């Protein structure tokens, strides 16, 4: 029997495993890097052990430190979670060699699937359909388009689409760097790219006594950068006959490697109904909650029981209903999926029925690695939480999930929340037609557009100004009951300025008449119903809307001097005007504003042509030099943040007047990386 279990992971998956351990009466041990010292997962465990450092290579990828942590905390078992060393056979073997229980498949099975290159050969011998493997050095024009893939790991890292031979060398080099950083293994290979295919996978669970379950399929086709963002079960593209074929192939794959424990066999499903083996994930998947909801199971409990030697029942329970999961990421889809770091000021999701467990009846589940106030850094995956809706039908699940997303308060970071909400209402998705190219086919100009349109932003800014005035009056030492800016005779309107999402400025000018009537420029007919420091009610064309307003620093009015952030709600530049963050939530959409001071501080200004770091990160490569002529869109350097590479390009043509970074240097958001001087009229544009 397992008495004390260490989770060799962090964030949401560590909290998920801890929840099951508490239900089973098993003690819990967390490990945390310096960057995670204040993380929720470290606080929730019975004991927590520090892993000195912040980078994955120094912390969560150090098997020796993880085993030492287990010994020092008295753990007798290790659960790897997913990512990091969860599919590392050497780590699995080291755990068992140390006399600890490994809550996962046998090291031999992990080893057999640890290399995608060798796994495909093994599956082909077992009769499972596979795509041909291509040597990166032997790819020809006839092979295109292709996909470059990391041999180890997953999660979309170390993957690149190549459509021309000229792109291949850079794609292979970048994939190798990402794979080395994320998994400690730079090996990559190529395979044909299936256009308009779907990504489906079969959840497996097997014990050591010969009983195995195939728990249906999940559809994970909606992806960005080859990483899943929406998963559901069952797949709208799979009928009973195809489901049987997929499950048989998955069982054949598991038998070929003597699989025990929970795992997933992934396939690409072509338009014509053919499917091809991708990989076996020898671990729990991020999207396991949709299967848990459908079958009413706790897969982590079953993992632990199988590791203790228990037998599974002869057959699993029958599935019921439909479940859809979305992954909430700290990133800006409209800015090339740029990750966002900083303080998550508020994280509240309405209507949650269960956390880290299946709801008692159809409902909403939240698995989160963060809470309000969590610091989100750049060293790890940017996923904040998973939200899962389970309902009798697919349509009902999509509607419930979208309502939860639109009603959530997620303040302080740019996220993909609005994109997820738009997808859940988009006709092609609702019709069950989404493929792996779905986001490109519909277009980010549609899906990444904010839920709050221009009118909603302007109304939100007006509400923010009115709430700000109410806060000032509430804090006033005398005559606090008078409206802000009240005069005995008509006077100039109150004026406030906010930076809106996308970098535009919203000007608010209003005054209240002697009778309390709101007179706001550009808002004819808008009625002020009520205003307090935290909420404002406005009447618009006879319809009342409530606006909840939160400011950072909390409780300050227009004189607050909080530093603007680098994502939603900050200055958007991370090095410009200092400003308060103001977050306005309403049925019209959530809006993050920055309250601009009346007079800018000259010390906050940056030189024209400055290229600012959009996020904290490490400079991987510099591709220019001082004095070089550059063109608009030319890549000048590459930053690594949240285990992905991000290209920083010249915003306009000119000459590199300053270059302030070198490879290997860490930079903060808003740091001036370079300064591009505009060409003189006589010189013309650089070529």
């Amino acid at each position: 029997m397992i008495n004390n279990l260490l989770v060799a992971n962090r964030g949401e998956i560590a909290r998920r495993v801890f929840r099951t351990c508490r239900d089973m009466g098993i003690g819990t041990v967390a490990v945390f890097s310096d960057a995670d010292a204040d993380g929720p997962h470290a606080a929730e465990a019975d004991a927590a052990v520090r892993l000195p450092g912040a980078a994955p290579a120094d912390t969560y990828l150090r098997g020796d430190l993880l085993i030492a942590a287990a010994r020092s905390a008295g753990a007798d078992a290790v659960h790897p979670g997913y990512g990091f060393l969860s599919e590392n056979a050497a780590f699995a073997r080291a755990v068992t060699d140390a006399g600890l229980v490994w809550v996962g498949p046998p090291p031999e099975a992990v080893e057999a699937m640890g290399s995608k290159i060798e796994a495909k050969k093994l599956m082909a011998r077992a009769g499972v359909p596979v795509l041909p493997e291509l040597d990166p050095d032997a790819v020809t024009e006839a092979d295109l388009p292709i996909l470059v893939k990391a041999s180890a790991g997953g999660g979309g890292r170390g993957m690149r689409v190549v459509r021309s031979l000229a792109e291949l060398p850079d794609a292979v080099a970048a994939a190798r760097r990402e794979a080395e950083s994320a998994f400690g293994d730079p090996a990559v290979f190529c395979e044909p790219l299936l256009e308009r295919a779907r990504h489906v996978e079969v959840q497996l669970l097997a014990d050591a006594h010969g009983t195995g379950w195939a728990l249906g399929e999940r559809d994970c086709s909606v992806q960005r950068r080859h990483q899943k963002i929406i998963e559901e079960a069952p797949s709208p593209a799979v009928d009973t006959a195809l489901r049987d074929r997929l499950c048989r192939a998955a069982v054949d794959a598991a038998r070929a490697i003597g699989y025990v424990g929970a795992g997933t066999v992934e396939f690409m499903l072509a338009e014509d109904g053919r499917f091809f083996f991708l990989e076996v994930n020898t671990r729990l998947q991020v999207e396991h909650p949709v299967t848990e909801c459908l079958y009413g199971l706790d897969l982590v409990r079953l993992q632990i029981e199988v590791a203790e030697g228990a037998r599974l029942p002869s057959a699993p329970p029958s599935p019921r209903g439909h479940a859809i999961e979305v992954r909430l990421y700290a990133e800006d889809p409209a800015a090339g999926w740029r990750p966002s770091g900083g303080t998550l000021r508020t994280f509240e999701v309405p209507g949650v029925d269960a956390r880290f467990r299946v709801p008692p009846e159809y409902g909403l589940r939240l698995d989160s690695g963060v809470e309000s106030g969590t610091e989100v850094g750049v060293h790890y995956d940017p996923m904040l939480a998973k939200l899962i809706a389970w309902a009798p039908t697919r349509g009902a699940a999509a509607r419930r999930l979208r309502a939860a997303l639109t009603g959530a308060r997620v303040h302080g970071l740019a996220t993909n929340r609005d994109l997820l909400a738009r997808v859940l209402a988009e006709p092609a998705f609702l019709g069950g037609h989404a493929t792996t190219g779905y986001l490109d086919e519909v277009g980010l100009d549609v899906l990444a557009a904010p839920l709050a349109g221009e009118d909603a932003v302007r109304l939100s800014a007006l509400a923010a100004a009115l709430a700000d005035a109410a806060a000032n009056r509430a804090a006033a030492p005398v005559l606090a009951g008078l409206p802000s800016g009240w005069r005995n005779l008509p006077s100039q309107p109150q004026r406030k300025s906010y930076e809106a999402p996308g970098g535009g400025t919203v000007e608010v000018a209003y005054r209240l008449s002697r009778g309390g009537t709101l007179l706001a420029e550009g808002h004819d007919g808008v009625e002020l119903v009520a205003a307090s420091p935290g909420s404002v009610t406005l009447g618009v064309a006879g319809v009342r809307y409530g606006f909840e307003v939160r400011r950072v620093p909390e409780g300050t009015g227009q004189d607050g001097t909080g530093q603007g952030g680098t994502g939603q709600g900050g200055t958007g530049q991370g090095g410009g005007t200092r400003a308060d963050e103001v977050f306005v939530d309403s049925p019209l959409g959530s809006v993050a504003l920055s309250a601009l001071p009346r007079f800018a501080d000259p010390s906050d200004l940056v030189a024209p042509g400055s290229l600012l770091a959009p996020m904290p990160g490490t400079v991987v490569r510099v591709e220019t030099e001082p004095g070089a002529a550059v063109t608009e869109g030319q890549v000048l350097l590459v930053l690594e943040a949240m285990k992905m590479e991000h290209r920083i390009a010249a915003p306009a043509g000119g000459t590199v007047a300053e270059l302030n970074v070198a490879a290997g240097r860490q930079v903060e958001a808003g740091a001036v990386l370079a300064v591009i001087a505009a060409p003189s009229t006589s010189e013309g544009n650089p070529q």
Side-chain angles (χ1 to χ4, degrees):
M1 297 290 287
I2 294 172
N3 296 305
N4 204 19
L5 184 144
L6 178 141
V7 178
N9 219 290
R10 62 180 298 277
E12 166 264 331
I13 182 56
R15 300 181 79 188
R16 164 70 187 90
V17 176
F18 293 160
R19 197 278 300 162
T20 290
C21 287
R22 287 193 295 271
D23 288 351
M24 298 179 70
I26 296 173
T28 56
V29 179
V31 288
F32 63 91
S33 68
D34 291 341
D36 282 336
D38 297 321
H41 83 277
E44 288 181 2
D46 297 326
V49 180
R50 177 187 174 224
L51 304 175
D58 300 327
T59 54
Y60 300 106
L61 289 174
R62 286 282 303 274
D64 57 333
L65 297 183
L66 296 169
I67 292 173
R71 285 173 165 158
S72 66
D76 53 3
V78 172
H79 191 297
Y82 42 70
F84 296 128
L85 294 177
S86 62
E87 295 179 281
N88 186 297
F91 178 57
R93 192 167 284 113
V95 168
T96 57
D97 288 347
L100 304 171
V101 176
W102 169 252
V103 184
E108 294 76 19
V110 178
E111 193 165 50
M113 295 294 103
S115 164
K116 293 184 178 67
I117 297 172
E118 296 305 315
K120 291 180 69 169
K121 295 176 181 177
L122 180 59
M123 291 300 107
R125 292 195 295 270
V128 180
V130 300
L131 287 168
E133 176 201 335
L134 305 172
D135 184 336
D137 296 326
V139 172
T140 68
E141 196 77 36
D143 297 320
L144 301 175
I146 62 168
L147 189 63
V148 181
K149 299 179 67 173
S151 182
R157 292 170 191 83
M159 297 180 70
R160 294 289 190 280
V161 172
V162 175
R163 298 186 181 277
S164 73
L165 290 180
E167 302 170 4
L168 185 59
D170 285 348
V172 169
R176 283 175 173 155
R177 285 192 302 270
E178 279 188 0
E180 173 71 28
S181 174
F183 316 118
D185 183 349
V188 300
F189 67 100
C190 302
E191 66 183 17
L193 176 67
L194 288 181
E195 306 274 22
R196 294 197 56 77
R198 302 183 80 121
H199 186 139
V200 296
E201 60 190 29
V202 176
Q203 175 70 59
L204 296 175
L205 190 67
D207 63 22
H209 308 285
T211 300
W213 293 350
L215 297 171
E217 84 289 343
R218 297 186 291 253
D219 193 310
C220 311
S221 299
V222 181
Q223 303 177 3
R224 63 98 167 99
R225 288 181 167 178
H226 313 291
Q227 188 169 36
K228 308 160 188 173
I229 58 172
I230 298 181
E231 303 102 344
E232 61 180 306
S235 168
V238 175
D239 58 21
T240 301
L242 178 55
R243 181 171 298 115
D244 289 344
R245 290 166 49 214
L246 284 166
C247 288
R248 282 200 301 273
V251 170
D252 288 344
R255 286 175 177 161
I257 58 174
Y259 202 85
V260 174
T264 306
V265 185
E266 300 197 350
F267 300 95
M268 291 300 291
L269 177 62
E271 282 189 285
D272 59 8
R274 293 179 302 149
F275 59 85
F276 301 93
F277 170 83
L278 276 180
E279 60 187 338
V280 176
N281 293 123
T282 55
R283 54 174 169 80
L284 204 61
Q285 292 278 86
V286 176
E287 57 271 23
H288 74 273
V290 296
T291 298
E292 290 188 324
C293 288
L294 222 63
Y295 286 85
L297 296 171
D298 182 337
L299 289 175
V300 174
R301 175 187 284 269
L302 291 169
Q303 278 188 299
I304 293 172
E305 290 175 347
V306 165
E308 292 178 323
R311 293 177 178 269
L312 293 173
S314 59
S318 298
R320 185 164 66 100
H322 198 100
I324 305 176
E325 172 183 291
V326 296
R327 302 189 192 185
L328 185 69
Y329 281 103
E331 64 186 10
D332 185 351
W337 309 99
R338 184 176 67 203
S340 174
T343 303
L344 183 60
R345 305 292 188 182
T346 308
F347 183 69
E348 299 172 356
V349 181
V352 170
D353 299 295
R355 293 176 181 268
F356 301 105
R357 67 173 73 243
V358 178
E361 192 45 70
Y362 292 124
L364 191 68
R365 168 176 171 171
L366 176 65
D367 286 19
S368 167
V370 297
E371 301 289 346
S372 296
T374 296
E375 285 290 329
V376 177
V378 299
H379 299 287
Y380 314 114
D381 186 276
M383 189 175 78
L384 302 174
K386 306 178 310 197
L387 194 58
I388 307 97
W390 175 40
T393 65
R394 185 172 185 267
R399 182 169 56 195
R400 176 71 187 275
L401 192 50
R402 186 177 192 276
L405 285 168
T406 57
R409 296 175 182 85
V410 186
H411 299 161
L413 302 175
T415 73
N416 65 338
R417 183 266 300 276
D418 287 9
L419 175 135
L420 296 172
R422 285 197 179 276
V423 169
L424 291 168
E426 198 277 323
F429 176 82
L430 289 178
H433 307 307
T435 68
T436 53
Y438 169 80
L439 294 181
D440 291 332
E441 291 164 5
V442 179
L444 288 182
D445 56 332
V446 174
L447 296 175
L451 293 176
E454 183 178 342
D455 289 343
V457 171
R458 292 176 60 249
L459 282 169
S460 296
L462 176 61
L466 293 167
D468 189 54
N472 286 336
R473 295 316 305 159
V478 295
L479 301 177
L482 289 180
S484 177
W486 186 88
R487 298 290 186 273
N488 191 40
L489 296 173
S491 182
Q492 293 298 313
Q494 299 276 80
R495 295 187 181 275
K496 295 179 181 177
S497 300
Y498 298 93
E499 184 175 356
T505 299
V506 180
E507 303 285 347
V508 177
Y510 73 93
R511 66 183 179 88
L512 298 176
S513 71
R514 289 176 62 104
T517 301
L518 175 67
L519 302 173
E521 295 180 6
H523 294 284
D524 295 342
V526 174
E527 173 192 6
L528 174 59
V529 179
S532 70
S535 65
V536 172
T537 302
L538 298 176
V540 183
V543 180
R544 291 186 175 185
Y545 296 99
F547 297 81
E548 291 196 13
V549 182
R550 298 189 183 185
R551 291 172 300 282
V552 178
E554 190 69 34
T556 64
Q558 63 189 33
D559 297 326
T561 56
Q563 179 65 48
T566 60
Q568 278 182 239
T571 64
Q573 297 174 349
T577 305
R578 296 180 70 186
D580 286 349
E581 297 172 290
V582 186
F583 306 103
V584 185
D585 296 288
S586 78
L588 303 177
S590 296
V591 178
L593 302 166
S594 295
L596 300 177
R598 294 181 63 186
F599 304 104
D601 185 341
S603 66
D604 287 332
L605 301 178
V606 296
S610 294
L611 188 63
L612 307 180
M615 70 203 83
T618 301
V619 178
V620 175
R621 193 166 66 257
V622 176
E623 299 185 358
T624 189
E625 59 185 3
V630 298
T631 57
E632 181 179 348
Q634 178 180 335
V635 176
L636 303 184
L637 54 94
V638 178
L639 285 181
E640 182 184 66
M642 294 182 175
K643 298 195 286 187
M644 299 287 282
E645 290 190 354
H646 308 273
R647 297 185 172 192
I648 308 300
T655 302
V656 180
E658 293 182 23
L659 184 63
N660 302 324
V661 295
R665 176 177 166 181
Q666 291 198 349
V667 297
E668 294 299 320
V672 179
L673 305 173
V675 177
I676 309 300
S680 65
T681 304
S682 60
E683 291 174 343
N685 290 327
Q687 300 298 319

